[in-house]
């Protein structure tokens, strides 16, 4: 569709700052042929290992995959894993002069063992503690230098200690004219009061609103309206997995249907959503259109194993394969 082509072309104009928890994703790939005689667990014969940029770095990767410009801000440890993460950012042409090296901590790592396209186990190595005063000063210096470069700031919150009220205060002071977006963890939702948009999933939204989820549409709408009012949000996007998305905007509830064909792995789908919406808004695309494109992009990445991205050609291909009635319902927004 020509309309979608033109919208995707605009993403090259995006200038987005991503702030949050940097994570190195470590994948161990293998095969399972037998159960261990020592315990009732599978024995994985390793065939290869790989590393990917995770956490807020995956948000940045998704923006680059759409040809947008992105800079990243976060903390890594002074170790080989931090250096590996920086090399992955450099390889993908992501500016990382906002990444601070903290010798007190280890770079956060998530190791996933995967056999026959299935997760066998995940091992997390992480420390969560508040940055010290010197780290905040380095953040302030970076933001001061970049204050006129970005019209959208995305907070990718994995609740690992980087995003807190003090950091938000510094960001708001330096980016007064930018749109603020956040993919929040439940406990941190109050931090994002007055934001232009937050993007929790259904479970997170229900927990944050303190509303029992009985699986009804009414429950989700009540939660959405409560979050909008309680935290003075301009807009709210609730991702709903196989049920698509719910966008609360301008006193309306717009339900965007799911586009997924096959689901192999939901890892990072939320990163893809906020990355695509942020890049779309930064490019001058409306919120509703950005959300529809984000849902298309998410439907692409869940069909891949591991943290993944969607390029414009894949998004177009997914659109072309949509059910005719779904297309017709969405075209009025595009």
């Amino acid at each position: 569709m020509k309309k979608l082509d033109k919208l995707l072309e605009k993403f090259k104009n995006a200038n987005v700052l991503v702030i949050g928890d940097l994570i190195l994703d470590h994948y161990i790939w293998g095969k399972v042929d037998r159960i261990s005689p020592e315990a009732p667990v599978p024995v994985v014969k390793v065939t290869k290992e790989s590393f990917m940029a995770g956490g807020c770095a995956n948000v940045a990767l998704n923006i680059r995959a759409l040809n947008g410009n992105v800079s990243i801000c976060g903390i890594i440890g002074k170790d080989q894993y931090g250096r590996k993460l920086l090399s992955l950012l450099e390889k993908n042409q992501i500016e990382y002069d906002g990444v601070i090296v903290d010798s007190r901590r280890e770079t956060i790592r998530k190791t996933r063992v995967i056999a026959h396209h299935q997760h066998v186990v995940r091992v997390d190595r992480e420390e969560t503690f508040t940055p010290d005063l010197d780290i905040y000063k380095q953040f302030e210096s970076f933001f001061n230098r970049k204050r006129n470069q970005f019209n959208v700031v995305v907070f990718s919150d994995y609740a690992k200690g980087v995003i807190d009220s003090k950091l938000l205060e510094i960001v708001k002071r330096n980016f007064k004219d930018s749109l603020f977006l956040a993919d929040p963890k439940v406990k941190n939702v109050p931090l994002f009061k007055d934001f232009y948009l937050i993007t929790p999933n259904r479970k997170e939204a229900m927990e944050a609103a303190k509303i029992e989820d009985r699986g009804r549409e009414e429950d989700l709408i009540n939660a959405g309206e409560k979050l909008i009012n309680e935290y003075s949000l301009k807009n709210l996007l609730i991702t709903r997995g196989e049920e698509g998305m719910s966008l609360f905007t301008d006193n309306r509830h717009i339900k965007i249907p799911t586009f997924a064909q096959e689901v192999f792995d939901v890892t990072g789908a939320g990163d893809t959503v906020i990355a695509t919406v942020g890049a779309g808004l930064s490019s001058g695309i409306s919120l509703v259109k950005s959300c529809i494109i984000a849902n298309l992009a998410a439907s692409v990445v869940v069909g891949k194993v591991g943290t993944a991205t969607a390029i414009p050609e894949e998004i177009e291909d997914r659109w072309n394969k949509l059910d005719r009635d779904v297309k017709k319902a969405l075209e009025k927004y595009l």
Side-chain angles (χ1 to χ4, degrees), residues 245-310:
M245 298 176 169
S246 282
L247 175 63
F248 295 82
T249 181
D250 296 327
N251 296 314
R252 292 185 297 162
H253 170 219
I254 300 173
K255 187 174 180 182
I256 304 170
T258 186
F259 306 140
Q261 306 291 314
E262 296 177 284
V263 178
F264 285 111
D265 190 350
V266 297
T267 302
D271 295 337
T272 299
V273 169
I274 197 163
T276 308
V277 174
L281 290 169
S282 181
S283 305
I285 300 170
S286 74
L287 176 59
V288 176
K289 291 177 183 177
S290 295
C291 289
I292 291 171
I293 297 171
N295 208 13
L296 282 164
S299 74
V300 171
V301 302
V302 297
K304 302 177 182 182
V305 177
T307 47
T309 60

Side-chain angles (χ1 to χ4, degrees), residues 38-257:
E38 302 164 358
V41 295
V43 175
V44 178
K45 184 177 181 181
V46 177
T47 56
K48 67 174 181 176
E49 293 185 59
S50 59
F51 292 92
M52 297 182 187
C56 74
N58 189 44
V59 175
L61 285 176
N62 273 271
I63 294 171
R64 281 299 301 141
L66 294 166
N67 300 316
N69 302 298
V70 60
S71 185
I72 197 163
C73 181
I75 301 173
I76 58 173
K78 191 176 183 179
D79 51 35
Q80 62 176 314
Y81 306 105
R83 291 191 294 274
K84 180 63 178 177
L85 190 44
L86 292 183
S87 72
L88 291 169
L89 295 174
E90 185 171 3
K91 179 182 177 182
N92 287 278
Q93 299 177 303
I94 294 169
E95 292 183 7
Y96 58 83
D97 48 337
V99 175
I100 296 168
V101 179
D102 185 350
S103 59
R104 298 183 309 157
R105 70 178 71 199
E106 284 187 284
T107 300
I108 297 172
R109 309 189 303 285
K110 294 182 180 180
T111 299
R112 297 175 176 89
V113 179
I114 298 176
H116 308 290
H117 300 292
Q118 297 292 323
H119 279 188
V120 177
V121 68
R122 192 179 95 182
V123 180
D124 290 0
R125 298 177 179 90
E126 63 183 47
E127 294 177 272
T128 58
F129 50 87
T130 304
D132 61 23
L133 184 59
D134 180 63
I135 299 292
Y136 287 119
K137 286 181 178 178
Q138 290 183 63
F139 279 141
E140 177 96 61
S141 176
F142 170 73
F143 297 146
N144 192 264
R145 295 195 309 272
K146 301 288 187 176
R147 61 171 58 193
N148 297 316
Q149 186 172 329
F150 311 104
N151 57 359
V152 168
V153 179
V154 170
F155 291 84
S156 176
D157 177 28
Y158 278 75
K160 306 301 182 188
V162 172
I163 298 174
D164 61 12
S165 58
K166 190 164 185 175
L167 179 66
L168 279 164
E169 182 184 316
I170 297 171
V171 175
K172 289 179 178 179
R173 190 161 61 235
N174 284 278
F175 296 97
K176 294 179 181 178
D177 298 322
S178 300
L179 296 180
F180 289 169
L181 284 62
D183 183 6
K185 288 299 182 185
V186 173
K187 71 174 187 176
N188 286 340
V189 167
L191 288 175
F192 306 115
K193 186 177 181 181
D194 299 318
F195 265 41
Y196 180 80
L197 177 75
I198 67 171
T199 62
N201 60 35
R202 178 171 183 140
K203 182 176 182 293
E204 291 166 338
M206 301 305 295
E207 288 181 15
K210 296 181 174 63
I211 290 177
E212 181 185 356
D213 190 357
R214 292 166 287 184
R216 304 179 307 176
E217 190 77 3
E218 180 184 345
D219 299 329
L220 183 134
I221 292 172
N222 288 340
E225 291 175 348
K226 184 177 179 181
L227 290 175
I228 286 271
N229 294 326
E230 187 169 344
Y231 297 109
S232 303
L233 301 170
K234 306 296 186 296
N235 306 281
L236 171 68
L237 178 66
I238 300 177
T239 56
R240 305 174 56 175
E242 62 184 20
E243 294 181 341
M245 298 176 169
S246 282
L247 175 63
F248 295 82
T249 181
D250 296 327
N251 296 314
R252 292 185 297 162
H253 170 219
I254 300 173
K255 187 174 180 182
I256 304 170

